Amino acid sequence: MNVRSTLLSSVAVFGLLLGATAASAQQASGPGVTQQIPVDARSTLTPGLRDAGMSASGLVLEHSLPMAPGFVDPDIGFSPPTSREEGQALVARMRSNAAFSPLGMANTDMALSDGKLFIGNFNGFNAYELGEGAPRLVMSVVCPGGQGDVSVHGDLLFMSVEENRGRLDCGATTTASAVDSERFRGVRIFDISDLNAPRQIAAVQTCRGSHTHTLVPHPSDPNVLYVYGQGTSDVRKTEELAICTDGQPDSNPETALFSIDVIRVDLNRPQDAAIVNRPRIFADGTTGRVAGLWRGGRAGVASQDTAQTNQCHDITVYPEIGLAGGACSGNGILLDISDPERPTRVSDIFDPDMAYWHSATFNNAGDKVVFTDEWSGGIGARCQATDPATWGANMIATIENRTLSGKSFHKLPSAQGSTENCVAHNGNIIPVPGRDLMVQAWYQGGISIMDFTDPARPIEVAHFDRGPISAERLYVGGSWSAYWLNGRIYSSEIARGLDVLRLVPTDQLSAAEIAAAEAVMSATINPQTQTRVSWADTPDVAGAYLDQLTRSQGIEAGLAGQVQARIEQWRGGNADLAGSAELSAALNAASGKATGVAAARLKALADLFGRQAG
């Protein structure tokens, strides 16, 4: 969500924001757009900042913490202009007050490390101790500059900064000068070994700031870490940062557009972190033309305005498969990161229904990726009943022979009101064996869990939602990120604080599936750095596969009864090795007759009991 640069880039800001609802209805009526969003119990929840109505299925809200002290916006938050006069006044305020940011104290992205949850904020970041009971605030660092996305590696915390109000010293005093030697835009590095005394030890300046960033481990040297910086803002003046020049590559081959930043961090000397490459990952593979992907605009009569591919909003790396998924404004791309200092594009995809490719999330097998579309930049009410169900949605793509292929769209299946900013946003995988489940934030659309095991038929299996902040006016709020982190779902609520939720069994998600997911623990989780999940052989994992096969009618009743009996004996401590071997053979035989996901689940069960038999 890049509000400030979007607003200041056009004096016609009010035209962009004021007409959001009308434009949505007008564009949705175009030829070929037929799917719309259904109305359900979530569509009419009562409004309120702290007392809004709530709806949940498959999720229970365990804790809801307010914004941290010093990070509370006294004006509730940012409300997009609703008239020409309001738009002009907002632009004038930003131009006259360099320290003002529309989302000045909004919560942003999260990371987990060593039992602590770190939450970014446009005003800095906070850390919470996790354990029994509600999370406990243990550190607050005021360091304005937006966007404030964070990630953690050992005793180092990395933070993205992109706004002109960012200062080298984290100060709040700034100027509107076009060139300022004390300005900072890029990636900050903090030493957080002492939570009582965090220290900024490096500040890597970049040309477009850092909207988001991604940690990439070196494939063989544990003392080297790379950071991919994704800048989406305007290019800085050469007089402020010598490596920066602006313009299109046909007239300026050295332009800072059309690249990402690769920062190398020697973990023995993190204070020396520096940019080592700005790869042209969008270049045409045949001609070398720098602007080699989508040029922006409309792709057809029924399509929407789409962004030019001159930046990546978000890159998610999966080092164990040597690939990264890039959500890069006008395209989704696949990168080879076997040499992380020199990433290269191996596949790209375009779709006219995707206005702005925003984030990417792999499934555990690494053969699917979910791309999100942040239609209207996260500040529009884009989940109304009249909005297209393929705009501002998830695109599910498959990966075969390192090639992307789009399969389907999935949007929040609940119409939201005209005062609720809503569009697809950040999420990650819930580690249920045998299924591809993703929990995801939808701003004021709440939290939704999508099953995309079948990439052509994704479905929602659980949700949590609140009513709008206000019924009279749209205030930007809701869940910025919703992540599964060691057995719970944590949601950084833009204007309300921090939510902690847990899964509860339903007919679409069993107790065994939940238990198998809750048993997976990681010391550190940076959602844009995915790691492969493996499951221990337990009765819950076996039960998860059995529940899935039963739910989908993928197993014969007699064989299911045998599996259930064996699981119950296992839980009771009866390790009948011969019985497990016989059951494994029966399951292998059944898998040979089955197809698709049923065959894979039967084979997984067979292998599990085979390992138990020894």
Side-chain angles (χ1 to χ4, degrees):
M1 183 187 288
N2 194 344
V3 175
R4 186 181 182 94
S5 62
T6 299
L7 296 179
L8 287 178
S9 67
S10 174
V11 177
V13 56
F14 32 82
L16 173 67
L17 300 174
L18 176 60
T21 301
S24 169
Q26 181 181 10
Q27 292 171 349
S29 65
V33 179
T34 56
Q35 286 185 302
Q36 293 183 329
I37 307 169
V39 173
D40 67 1
R42 290 171 275 179
S43 305
T44 56
L45 295 172
T46 55
L49 182 63
R50 299 300 305 175
D51 58 351
M54 293 186 287
S55 173
S57 174
L59 287 168
V60 170
L61 181 64
E62 284 192 330
H63 306 289
S64 183
L65 282 66
M67 301 291 283
F71 292 79
V72 181
D73 190 327
D75 297 324
I76 301 179
F78 171 53
S79 179
T82 59
S83 69
R84 180 177 297 272
E85 292 73 24
E86 286 184 359
Q88 291 172 329
L90 178 61
V91 171
R93 181 180 181 186
M94 287 190 291
R95 285 176 171 160
S96 64
N97 182 2
F100 170 74
S101 171
L103 292 171
M105 294 190 178
N107 275 343
T108 59
D109 217 352
M110 298 178 287
L112 179 146
S113 182
D114 192 27
K116 298 172 185 66
L117 179 68
F118 297 87
I119 304 180
N121 186 285
F122 275 69
N123 197 42
F125 62 91
N126 294 281
Y128 293 82
E129 184 80 43
L130 305 181
E132 296 298 324
R136 182 174 62 89
L137 183 66
V138 293
M139 178 177 65
S140 292
V141 174
V142 174
C143 190
Q147 174 167 302
D149 283 10
V150 294
S151 55
V152 182
H153 184 92
D155 289 331
L156 300 179
L157 179 142
F158 301 80
M159 184 173 75
S160 288
V161 182
E162 70 169 347
E163 295 179 337
N164 276 337
R165 66 185 178 126
R167 311 295 296 167
L168 281 168
D169 63 359
C170 284
T173 302
T174 187
T175 71
S177 172
V179 176
D180 186 343
S181 62
E182 295 302 310
R183 178 171 289 136
F184 177 73
R185 291 170 58 192
V187 177
R188 299 189 194 273
I189 305 177
F190 288 86
D191 181 332
I192 55 169
S193 55
D194 182 355
L195 293 182
N196 294 314
R199 298 181 298 115
Q200 180 176 283
I201 58 173
V204 183
Q205 299 271 22
T206 66
C207 291
R208 303 184 72 182
S210 173
H211 192 68
T212 65
H213 68 267
T214 307
L215 301 190
V216 191
H218 191 284
S220 60
D221 189 345
N223 290 318
V224 174
L225 180 70
Y226 292 98
V227 182
Y228 289 172
Q230 289 86 242
T232 66
S233 193
D234 57 297
V235 177
R236 299 165 77 170
K237 300 290 186 183
T238 306
E239 294 81 1
E240 185 171 279
L241 190 60
I243 62 172
C244 305
T245 58
D246 201 354
Q248 293 299 308
D250 53 354
S251 58
N252 177 20
E254 302 303 316
T255 180
L257 305 178
F258 299 93
S259 63
I260 62 171
D261 299 304
V262 179
I263 299 167
R264 188 179 190 274
V265 184
D266 182 336
L267 296 175
N268 294 316
R269 292 189 57 80
Q271 64 272 22
D272 295 335
I275 294 174
V276 292
N277 193 14
R278 293 193 289 167
R280 298 296 197 185
I281 58 173
F282 313 126
D284 186 290
T286 302
T287 67
R289 182 167 57 91
V290 171
L293 294 180
W294 180 244
R295 295 196 172 193
R298 290 180 180 271
V301 175
S303 70
Q304 57 178 315
D305 286 328
T306 57
Q308 181 191 46
T309 303
N310 67 20
Q311 60 185 253
C312 284
H313 180 281
D314 219 323
I315 295 174
T316 296
V317 297
Y318 199 161
E320 285 156 303
I321 64 172
L323 294 174
C328 301
S329 54
N331 291 90
I333 69 174
L334 202 62
L335 294 171
D336 181 329
I337 58 166
S338 53
D339 179 354
E341 193 166 313
R342 299 170 183 83
T344 58
R345 190 178 83 253
V346 295
S347 182
D348 53 81
I349 188 172
F350 168 80
D351 193 286
D353 282 333
M354 300 283 283
Y356 187 84
W357 299 67
H358 171 273
S359 61
T361 304
F362 291 94
N363 68 335
N364 192 53
D367 58 9
K368 300 171 198 163
V369 61
V370 177
F371 290 104
T372 64
D373 173 21
E374 196 175 43
W375 176 32
S376 83
I379 60 176
R382 294 309 202 188
C383 298
Q384 297 183 70
T386 54
D387 287 327
T390 55
W391 294 9
N394 298 328
M395 172 192 271
I396 295 88
T398 56
I399 303 170
E400 186 174 355
N401 296 323
R402 308 216 304 178
T403 301
L404 291 165
S405 177
K407 296 300 180 183
S408 66
F409 286 97
H410 174 81
K411 192 166 183 177
L412 182 75
S414 171
Q416 302 291 294
S418 62
T419 63
E420 293 177 283
N421 58 304
C422 177
V423 75
H425 213 232
N426 297 341
N428 71 344
I429 298 302
I430 300 177
V432 172
R435 297 176 79 174
D436 294 325
L437 296 183
M438 177 177 171
V439 60
Q440 182 178 6
W442 289 82
Y443 291 119
Q444 286 198 75
I447 297 167
S448 179
I449 297 177
M450 174 186 67
D451 183 331
F452 64 106
T453 308
D454 181 347
R457 296 174 181 83
I459 61 170
E460 182 184 69
V461 298
H463 76 263
F464 171 79
D465 189 18
R466 288 187 176 92
I469 292 173
S470 167
E472 288 73 41
R473 187 178 181 107
L474 191 155
Y475 289 91
V476 174
S479 181
W480 180 287
S481 297
Y483 294 140
W484 175 271
L485 304 171
N486 288 348
R488 291 294 183 268
I489 291 169
Y490 296 87
S491 169
S492 58
E493 236 280 1
I494 293 172
R496 292 178 172 116
L498 169 65
D499 291 330
V500 185
L501 303 100
R502 63 179 172 87
L503 291 172
V504 292
T506 65
D507 59 353
Q508 298 189 78
L509 192 62
S510 71
E513 289 176 300
I514 294 171
E518 290 179 344
V520 176
M521 294 285 167
S522 299
T524 299
I525 302 175
N526 293 301
Q528 283 71 49
T529 307
Q530 284 193 230
T531 56
R532 177 159 285 159
V533 174
S534 59
W535 294 268
D537 291 337
T538 67
D540 287 327
V541 172
Y545 287 125
L546 178 59
D547 290 340
Q548 293 158 16
L549 287 163
T550 302
R551 188 184 297 122
S552 64
Q553 299 181 334
I555 187 171
E556 294 180 355
L559 184 55
Q562 295 177 47
V563 174
Q564 185 61 50
R566 178 61 52 196
I567 291 172
E568 291 174 1
Q569 289 178 340
W570 191 356
R571 291 188 190 280
N574 182 4
D576 182 352
L577 302 185
S580 294
E582 293 173 2
L583 183 56
S584 176
L587 288 164
N588 264 320
S591 71
K593 300 175 183 178
T595 59
V597 69
R601 289 166 175 165
L602 286 163
K603 185 65 169 65
L605 259 181
D607 292 346
L608 188 154
F609 284 111
R611 288 190 296 270
Q612 187 187 50

PDB file of all heavy atoms in Angstrom, residues 69-86:
ATOM      1  N   PRO A  69       1.200   1.877  22.631  1.00  0.00           N
ATOM      2  CA  PRO A  69       1.318   3.293  23.001  1.00  0.00           C
ATOM      3  C   PRO A  69       2.344   3.998  22.126  1.00  0.00           C
ATOM      4  O   PRO A  69       3.418   3.475  21.847  1.00  0.00           O
ATOM      5  CB  PRO A  69       1.791   3.223  24.463  1.00  0.00           C
ATOM      6  CG  PRO A  69       1.295   1.900  24.957  1.00  0.00           C
ATOM      7  CD  PRO A  69       1.390   0.972  23.776  1.00  0.00           C
ATOM      8  N   GLY A  70       1.985   5.201  21.677  1.00  0.00           N
ATOM      9  CA  GLY A  70       2.857   5.944  20.776  1.00  0.00           C
ATOM     10  C   GLY A  70       2.637   5.608  19.311  1.00  0.00           C
ATOM     11  O   GLY A  70       3.256   6.208  18.436  1.00  0.00           O
ATOM     12  N   PHE A  71       1.743   4.641  19.042  1.00  0.00           N
ATOM     13  CA  PHE A  71       1.452   4.231  17.669  1.00  0.00           C
ATOM     14  C   PHE A  71      -0.047   4.315  17.391  1.00  0.00           C
ATOM     15  O   PHE A  71      -0.589   3.583  16.568  1.00  0.00           O
ATOM     16  CB  PHE A  71       1.951   2.810  17.419  1.00  0.00           C
ATOM     17  CG  PHE A  71       3.450   2.690  17.436  1.00  0.00           C
ATOM     18  CD1 PHE A  71       4.146   2.642  18.635  1.00  0.00           C
ATOM     19  CD2 PHE A  71       4.169   2.644  16.257  1.00  0.00           C
ATOM     20  CE1 PHE A  71       5.523   2.540  18.668  1.00  0.00           C
ATOM     21  CE2 PHE A  71       5.557   2.546  16.273  1.00  0.00           C
ATOM     22  CZ  PHE A  71       6.243   2.498  17.475  1.00  0.00           C
ATOM     23  N   VAL A  72      -0.713   5.212  18.087  1.00  0.00           N
ATOM     24  CA  VAL A  72      -2.165   5.358  17.958  1.00  0.00           C
ATOM     25  C   VAL A  72      -2.462   6.650  17.206  1.00  0.00           C
ATOM     26  O   VAL A  72      -2.018   7.730  17.601  1.00  0.00           O
ATOM     27  CB  VAL A  72      -2.843   5.389  19.342  1.00  0.00           C
ATOM     28  CG1 VAL A  72      -4.358   5.515  19.182  1.00  0.00           C
ATOM     29  CG2 VAL A  72      -2.495   4.139  20.137  1.00  0.00           C
ATOM     30  N   ASP A  73      -3.216   6.543  16.119  1.00  0.00           N
ATOM     31  CA  ASP A  73      -3.594   7.711  15.343  1.00  0.00           C
ATOM     32  C   ASP A  73      -4.821   8.353  15.992  1.00  0.00           C
ATOM     33  O   ASP A  73      -5.882   7.729  16.054  1.00  0.00           O
ATOM     34  CB  ASP A  73      -3.923   7.301  13.908  1.00  0.00           C
ATOM     35  CG  ASP A  73      -4.084   8.494  12.973  1.00  0.00           C
ATOM     36  OD1 ASP A  73      -4.553   9.552  13.445  1.00  0.00           O
ATOM     37  OD2 ASP A  73      -3.752   8.367  11.783  1.00  0.00           O
ATOM     38  N   PRO A  74      -4.705   9.582  16.495  1.00  0.00           N
ATOM     39  CA  PRO A  74      -5.851  10.209  17.169  1.00  0.00           C
ATOM     40  C   PRO A  74      -7.014  10.494  16.237  1.00  0.00           C
ATOM     41  O   PRO A  74      -8.145  10.696  16.686  1.00  0.00           O
ATOM     42  CB  PRO A  74      -5.256  11.520  17.721  1.00  0.00           C
ATOM     43  CG  PRO A  74      -4.079  11.804  16.839  1.00  0.00           C
ATOM     44  CD  PRO A  74      -3.527  10.463  16.469  1.00  0.00           C
ATOM     45  N   ASP A  75      -6.765  10.488  14.933  1.00  0.00           N
ATOM     46  CA  ASP A  75      -7.823  10.749  13.952  1.00  0.00           C
ATOM     47  C   ASP A  75      -8.382   9.468  13.346  1.00  0.00           C
ATOM     48  O   ASP A  75      -8.922   9.482  12.242  1.00  0.00           O
ATOM     49  CB  ASP A  75      -7.291  11.643  12.829  1.00  0.00           C
ATOM     50  CG  ASP A  75      -6.864  13.007  13.341  1.00  0.00           C
ATOM     51  OD1 ASP A  75      -7.518  13.526  14.260  1.00  0.00           O
ATOM     52  OD2 ASP A  75      -5.863  13.539  12.841  1.00  0.00           O
ATOM     53  N   ILE A  76      -8.247   8.329  14.067  1.00  0.00           N
ATOM     54  CA  ILE A  76      -8.697   7.002  13.622  1.00  0.00           C
ATOM     55  C   ILE A  76      -7.794   6.466  12.520  1.00  0.00           C
ATOM     56  O   ILE A  76      -7.309   5.351  12.576  1.00  0.00           O
ATOM     57  CB  ILE A  76     -10.166   6.985  13.138  1.00  0.00           C
ATOM     58  CG1 ILE A  76     -11.105   7.443  14.250  1.00  0.00           C
ATOM     59  CG2 ILE A  76     -10.554   5.571  12.679  1.00  0.00           C
ATOM     60  CD1 ILE A  76     -12.571   7.481  13.818  1.00  0.00           C
ATOM     61  N   GLY A  77      -7.547   7.260  11.523  1.00  0.00           N
ATOM     62  CA  GLY A  77      -6.721   6.799  10.422  1.00  0.00           C
ATOM     63  C   GLY A  77      -7.008   7.593   9.167  1.00  0.00           C
ATOM     64  O   GLY A  77      -7.649   8.647   9.197  1.00  0.00           O
ATOM     65  N   PHE A  78      -6.553   7.080   8.061  1.00  0.00           N
ATOM     66  CA  PHE A  78      -6.669   7.765   6.791  1.00  0.00           C
ATOM     67  C   PHE A  78      -8.039   7.502   6.172  1.00  0.00           C
ATOM     68  O   PHE A  78      -8.479   6.363   6.040  1.00  0.00           O
ATOM     69  CB  PHE A  78      -5.568   7.292   5.852  1.00  0.00           C
ATOM     70  CG  PHE A  78      -5.704   7.760   4.434  1.00  0.00           C
ATOM     71  CD1 PHE A  78      -5.867   9.110   4.145  1.00  0.00           C
ATOM     72  CD2 PHE A  78      -5.648   6.864   3.385  1.00  0.00           C
ATOM     73  CE1 PHE A  78      -5.983   9.553   2.834  1.00  0.00           C
ATOM     74  CE2 PHE A  78      -5.756   7.281   2.068  1.00  0.00           C
ATOM     75  CZ  PHE A  78      -5.929   8.633   1.792  1.00  0.00           C
ATOM     76  N   SER A  79      -8.707   8.578   5.755  1.00  0.00           N
ATOM     77  CA  SER A  79      -9.965   8.475   5.022  1.00  0.00           C
ATOM     78  C   SER A  79      -9.754   9.080   3.642  1.00  0.00           C
ATOM     79  O   SER A  79      -9.466  10.274   3.526  1.00  0.00           O
ATOM     80  CB  SER A  79     -11.088   9.218   5.757  1.00  0.00           C
ATOM     81  OG  SER A  79     -12.295   9.133   5.020  1.00  0.00           O
ATOM     82  N   PRO A  80      -9.875   8.284   2.587  1.00  0.00           N
ATOM     83  CA  PRO A  80      -9.662   8.822   1.238  1.00  0.00           C
ATOM     84  C   PRO A  80     -10.626   9.960   0.928  1.00  0.00           C
ATOM     85  O   PRO A  80     -11.766   9.980   1.421  1.00  0.00           O
ATOM     86  CB  PRO A  80      -9.932   7.609   0.338  1.00  0.00           C
ATOM     87  CG  PRO A  80      -9.680   6.430   1.206  1.00  0.00           C
ATOM     88  CD  PRO A  80     -10.137   6.847   2.566  1.00  0.00           C
ATOM     89  N   PRO A  81     -10.212  10.920   0.139  1.00  0.00           N
ATOM     90  CA  PRO A  81     -11.078  12.057  -0.207  1.00  0.00           C
ATOM     91  C   PRO A  81     -12.370  11.607  -0.877  1.00  0.00           C
ATOM     92  O   PRO A  81     -12.388  10.647  -1.653  1.00  0.00           O
ATOM     93  CB  PRO A  81     -10.219  12.874  -1.175  1.00  0.00           C
ATOM     94  CG  PRO A  81      -8.818  12.448  -0.911  1.00  0.00           C
ATOM     95  CD  PRO A  81      -8.881  11.028  -0.491  1.00  0.00           C
ATOM     96  N   THR A  82     -13.436  12.316  -0.583  1.00  0.00           N
ATOM     97  CA  THR A  82     -14.731  12.018  -1.207  1.00  0.00           C
ATOM     98  C   THR A  82     -15.220  13.171  -2.082  1.00  0.00           C
ATOM     99  O   THR A  82     -16.339  13.123  -2.590  1.00  0.00           O
ATOM    100  CB  THR A  82     -15.789  11.708  -0.132  1.00  0.00           C
ATOM    101  OG1 THR A  82     -15.920  12.843   0.732  1.00  0.00           O
ATOM    102  CG2 THR A  82     -15.390  10.487   0.683  1.00  0.00           C
ATOM    103  N   SER A  83     -14.398  14.209  -2.213  1.00  0.00           N
ATOM    104  CA  SER A  83     -14.761  15.335  -3.072  1.00  0.00           C
ATOM    105  C   SER A  83     -13.487  15.939  -3.633  1.00  0.00           C
ATOM    106  O   SER A  83     -12.384  15.700  -3.134  1.00  0.00           O
ATOM    107  CB  SER A  83     -15.534  16.399  -2.278  1.00  0.00           C
ATOM    108  OG  SER A  83     -14.683  17.030  -1.335  1.00  0.00           O
ATOM    109  N   ARG A  84     -13.653  16.751  -4.667  1.00  0.00           N
ATOM    110  CA  ARG A  84     -12.509  17.444  -5.266  1.00  0.00           C
ATOM    111  C   ARG A  84     -11.813  18.324  -4.235  1.00  0.00           C
ATOM    112  O   ARG A  84     -10.580  18.369  -4.163  1.00  0.00           O
ATOM    113  CB  ARG A  84     -12.984  18.273  -6.450  1.00  0.00           C
ATOM    114  CG  ARG A  84     -11.888  19.052  -7.172  1.00  0.00           C
ATOM    115  CD  ARG A  84     -12.458  19.775  -8.372  1.00  0.00           C
ATOM    116  NE  ARG A  84     -12.974  18.837  -9.352  1.00  0.00           N
ATOM    117  CZ  ARG A  84     -12.236  18.299 -10.325  1.00  0.00           C
ATOM    118  NH1 ARG A  84     -10.952  18.615 -10.429  1.00  0.00           N
ATOM    119  NH2 ARG A  84     -12.769  17.463 -11.191  1.00  0.00           N
ATOM    120  N   GLU A  85     -12.603  18.995  -3.415  1.00  0.00           N
ATOM    121  CA  GLU A  85     -12.031  19.902  -2.418  1.00  0.00           C
ATOM    122  C   GLU A  85     -11.214  19.128  -1.381  1.00  0.00           C
ATOM    123  O   GLU A  85     -10.119  19.560  -0.979  1.00  0.00           O
ATOM    124  CB  GLU A  85     -13.143  20.696  -1.742  1.00  0.00           C
ATOM    125  CG  GLU A  85     -13.854  21.711  -2.638  1.00  0.00           C
ATOM    126  CD  GLU A  85     -14.773  21.059  -3.665  1.00  0.00           C
ATOM    127  OE1 GLU A  85     -15.224  19.902  -3.414  1.00  0.00           O
ATOM    128  OE2 GLU A  85     -15.043  21.682  -4.724  1.00  0.00           O
ATOM    129  N   GLU A  86     -11.737  17.988  -0.934  1.00  0.00           N
ATOM    130  CA  GLU A  86     -10.985  17.175   0.031  1.00  0.00           C
ATOM    131  C   GLU A  86      -9.689  16.658  -0.577  1.00  0.00           C
ATOM    132  O   GLU A  86      -8.655  16.602   0.091  1.00  0.00           O
ATOM    133  CB  GLU A  86     -11.848  16.001   0.501  1.00  0.00           C
ATOM    134  CG  GLU A  86     -12.949  16.382   1.466  1.00  0.00           C
ATOM    135  CD  GLU A  86     -13.709  15.177   1.978  1.00  0.00           C
ATOM    136  OE1 GLU A  86     -13.386  14.038   1.572  1.00  0.00           O
ATOM    137  OE2 GLU A  86     -14.621  15.364   2.787  1.00  0.00           O
TER     138      GLU A  86
END
